[in-house]
Amino acid sequence: MDEMAARRVEPGGTDPRWRLTPTKIAVAGLLLVGIVVPLLVGTYDRVEPRLLGFPFFYWYQLLWVFLAAGLCYLSFWLLKRERRAHERRTGAGEHR
């Protein structure tokens, strides 16, 4: 069996990538916050307080660009850490 065929798995099978874990739930929550909060108009529908002359609604939305990038990185790091922990427990990934 070639390596590509060995990596193919069916969704819902024994592949750990499809198993729901607390880490994956936390990642979904983090990403959901980064998507939903900037869409809530009531959180930024005002002019004051100004920052360096910019109205609140401008700098608040720009701030969320960086916050969302940070949340994406944190989510990536959490999933990577979970995968490595799984590989250590099962001995998978040692052929790399």
Side-chain angles (χ1 to χ4, degrees):
M1 179 184 297
D2 67 339
E3 186 177 337
M4 288 304 290
R7 288 185 180 193
R8 278 189 218 122
V9 292
E10 294 297 319
T14 60
D15 187 3
R17 292 176 294 180
W18 295 100
R19 194 171 315 126
L20 189 59
T21 63
T23 301
K24 291 176 184 167
I25 293 170
V27 164
L30 287 172
L31 295 176
L32 196 60
V33 165
I35 292 169
V36 172
V37 172
L39 295 175
L40 299 173
V41 177
T43 63
Y44 62 89
D45 187 20
R46 56 182 176 228
V47 176
E48 299 294 332
R50 292 180 177 268
L51 181 67
L52 302 173
F54 290 98
F56 178 75
F57 55 86
Y58 285 126
W59 64 262
Y60 178 78
Q61 288 292 304
L62 183 61
L63 176 66
W64 270 102
V65 169
F66 297 104
L67 290 174
L71 291 173
C72 287
Y73 176 77
L74 179 60
S75 299
F76 169 75
W77 181 79
L78 288 170
L79 290 173
K80 189 175 175 182
R81 190 182 86 177
E82 180 182 72
R83 185 185 66 193
R84 286 184 177 161
H86 174 74
E87 288 174 353
R88 279 193 304 272
R89 278 192 315 269
T90 61
E94 292 179 3
H95 62 278
R96 293 181 195 181

